[in-house]
Amino acid sequence: MENIKGKVIAITGASSGIGEAIARHLSGLGAKVVLGARRLAKLETIANDIVNKGGQVVYKKLDVTQPDDVKDFVNFAIGEFNTIDVFINNAGLMPLSMINAYKVDEWHKMIDVNIKGVLHGIAAALPVFEEKDSGQFINITSVGDRWVGPTSTVYSATKFAVRAISEGLRQEVSDNIRVTIVAPGATESELAETISDPELKKVAIEQFRVNLLPAEAIARAVAYAISQPSDVDVNELVVRPTAQKAY
């Protein structure tokens, strides 16, 4: 993990779940982490804990649906640490529903966060990576980026889109810029809390989100991708609980 120490790593959706675990794990490996999310108080708590453990961290309120907000986040990272080496697009929503529930507002929210948010991150960080001809994007998707089932249609569509965006980006950027997707299976997070249908939320929590991976498992996968030599681009990592077979 020597290739992680000293790197400046920006993380969206860093106030809980996978984003928080990534921040804590990479900080423990010597990275300088830049945390972004809408919940500033949670970021402050996480940052204070990282500092108390000897880590280097800064944080900023961030709404990934606003492109200027994401640009400001990248500029903030550069202002604090002089550069940025890795940008992790982690922010996401998962308000599962059947299509004929017609939760159109929720569809738009998922598209705004899960797809446009990733594009905003790319648009903000790519000029920095191109100028120095190095850098890495890590886009956190889901096993939903390759699987669709009832209630996951729109959510999976957003994750399929991020997988396609990531593959296209990988082909378009210079040979010195790396692009990775990490696709978690069932993992401890607050994603189920975004489901607005009480019965569906109950089913998701009781049936589909058992035998969960700890968020730290995804953080370790992210660290593995970052730690590789600069001429090694780990393009995809799919990480499921061993007991998760059907999706």
Side-chain angles (χ1 to χ4, degrees):
M1 297 296 178
E2 291 181 1
N3 289 330
I4 293 175
K5 187 173 183 180
K7 282 189 173 178
V8 178
I9 301 176
I11 308 160
T12 73
S15 61
S16 66
I18 290 172
E20 176 183 353
I22 291 171
R24 292 181 181 276
H25 186 64
L26 295 181
S27 168
L29 295 173
K32 302 172 184 178
V33 293
V34 185
L35 314 184
R38 290 177 296 176
R39 296 178 293 182
L40 197 60
K42 284 186 171 286
L43 291 180
E44 182 179 12
T45 299
I46 295 164
N48 287 340
D49 194 35
I50 288 174
V51 169
N52 289 338
K53 293 177 180 177
Q56 297 185 68
V57 57
V58 293
Y59 61 93
K60 181 175 173 54
K61 189 172 183 178
L62 171 64
D63 181 350
V64 298
T65 69
Q66 303 301 314
D68 287 343
D69 228 26
V70 187
K71 288 179 183 177
D72 289 345
F73 179 60
V74 168
N75 289 334
F76 169 73
I78 294 170
E80 293 291 329
F81 292 129
N82 299 316
T83 191
I84 182 171
D85 299 300
V86 182
F87 193 94
I88 301 177
N89 281 301
N90 169 71
L93 299 175
M94 191 189 70
L96 302 177
S97 66
M98 299 291 281
I99 288 288
N100 64 3
Y102 305 115
K103 293 183 178 290
V104 177
D105 287 345
E106 292 184 359
W107 301 347
H108 283 286
K109 286 179 182 177
M110 275 192 283
I111 290 166
D112 286 345
V113 174
N114 296 1
I115 302 177
K116 292 182 182 179
V118 170
L119 289 169
H120 296 160
I122 292 168
L126 184 56
V128 180
F129 293 166
E130 287 183 323
E131 183 176 355
K132 66 177 190 172
D133 197 27
S134 69
Q136 184 173 15
F137 287 102
I138 296 183
N139 299 327
I140 307 299
T141 60
S142 161
V143 292
D145 73 2
R146 62 203 65 212
W147 176 89
V148 185
T151 75
S152 83
T153 305
V154 178
Y155 174 72
S156 291
T158 66
K159 296 302 183 178
F160 269 71
V162 173
R163 190 178 180 194
I165 289 164
S166 301
E167 176 58 15
L169 178 65
R170 182 189 70 80
Q171 295 181 42
E172 291 182 12
V173 296
S174 87
D175 293 345
N176 296 317
I177 297 174
R178 304 189 292 179
V179 180
T180 300
I181 63 169
V182 177
T187 303
E188 292 174 352
S189 74
E190 296 181 353
L191 279 178
E193 297 303 316
T194 65
I195 301 172
S196 60
D197 182 318
E199 288 302 313
L200 183 55
K201 180 186 289 188
K202 185 173 183 290
V203 170
I205 291 172
E206 292 181 357
Q207 295 184 25
F208 296 107
R209 297 187 64 77
V210 296
N211 300 312
L212 299 179
L213 287 172
E216 290 75 14
I218 309 305
R220 291 193 296 271
V222 168
Y224 171 79
I226 296 172
S227 70
Q228 300 306 302
S230 61
D231 61 342
V232 177
D233 190 2
V234 177
N235 300 137
E236 295 190 14
L237 286 167
V238 182
V239 187
R240 292 182 176 94
T242 306
Q244 183 178 342
K245 305 297 186 185
Y247 59 95

